[in-house]
Amino acid sequence: MKILAIADLHGSQYRLNIVLENIKKYSPDLVIVCGDITQFGPGEVATNFLNQIPVETLAISGNIDTPEVDKAIEKSKAKNIDGKKIEKNGIDLIGIGGDHPSQQKISFIEKLVDEKSVIVSHVPPHGLQDTVFIGMHAGSKELREFVDKRKPRLVICGHIHEDPGYTKAKNSIVVNCSMGKRGEGAIIDLNKTISVKMLG
């Protein structure tokens, strides 16, 4: 399965146009949007953006998206996977939207995740593709602890604009697909093995 993973559109039609060009270029089977679709809303922007994507799309909201963006994802052609498990081609994808996930939210999804799972999160795990411009790690410590414990095969995230790329931690590959600064997202070939190509 070929995935185009993106995050941090922040209401920019220019960035969305790059996504649409990359869909034409790479012909992904699935687009995954890891939050911050808008710049503090409104919901109509999220619906409009997601409806422009011509292939199947899974999405979650980010920390800058307002609560109405969650509802707008539901109204769009995309599937909102926040707090849910979706199976595609025999692969389970579990969403964790919004800001740094609470322990309650992590506990809720824990029963859905195993070593074959893919986590779609807005915020990266602490210490993995989460370095901000002043050199600090700004990811979620709770999510990192969860990833180290449950060992999902892949974590797709965004949020930290300065650190798009991918890295391997123990059994998990973490891909930050942020478009916030210089990135255009990532193409992820997800089969028995995982290969990642950063765009931009």
Side-chain angles (χ1 to χ4, degrees), residues 1-7 19 22-34 53 55-59 81 86-94 116-121 153-157 166 173 175-177 184-199:
M1 180 167 60
K2 186 189 292 183
I3 297 168
L4 172 58
I6 58 167
V19 173
N22 282 330
I23 289 170
K24 288 179 189 173
K25 184 174 181 181
Y26 295 101
S27 301
D29 303 302
L30 186 69
V31 172
I32 293 179
V33 184
C34 298
I53 298 174
V55 297
E56 185 175 3
T57 303
L58 307 179
I81 63 167
I86 301 283
E87 185 267 329
K88 300 302 302 176
N89 291 10
I91 297 165
D92 291 336
L93 299 105
I94 296 104
K116 297 176 183 175
S117 301
V118 174
I119 290 181
V120 177
S121 172
R153 65 191 300 225
L154 178 64
V155 179
I156 309 172
C157 57
Y166 64 98
I173 294 174
V175 180
N176 178 336
C177 59
E184 293 184 8
I187 290 288
I188 303 169
D189 279 305
L190 180 58
N191 298 293
K192 288 183 179 177
T193 59
I194 299 171
S195 66
V196 181
K197 174 185 172 69
M198 300 306 300
L199 305 179

Side-chain angles (χ1 to χ4, degrees), residues 25 39 43-44 47 72 79 82 85 103 108 151 153 162:
K25 184 174 181 181
Q39 188 69 13
E44 291 79 11
T47 304
K79 287 189 182 80
D82 184 22
K85 178 169 77 172
Q103 194 58 55
F108 176 76
K151 301 180 180 64
R153 65 191 300 225
E162 301 94 330

Side-chain angles (χ1 to χ4, degrees), residues 5 14 16 21-22 26 38 45-46 50 56 63 68 73 84 98 113 129 143 147 155 157 159 161 177 181 183 197-198:
Y14 172 78
L16 182 61
E21 284 301 313
N22 282 330
Y26 295 101
T38 70
V45 169
L50 293 169
E56 185 175 3
N63 65 304
E68 66 174 345
I73 297 170
K84 299 173 192 161
V113 176
Q129 298 303 142
L143 183 59
V147 167
V155 179
C157 57
H159 184 54
H161 297 189
C177 59
K181 285 231 183 266
K197 174 185 172 69
M198 300 306 300

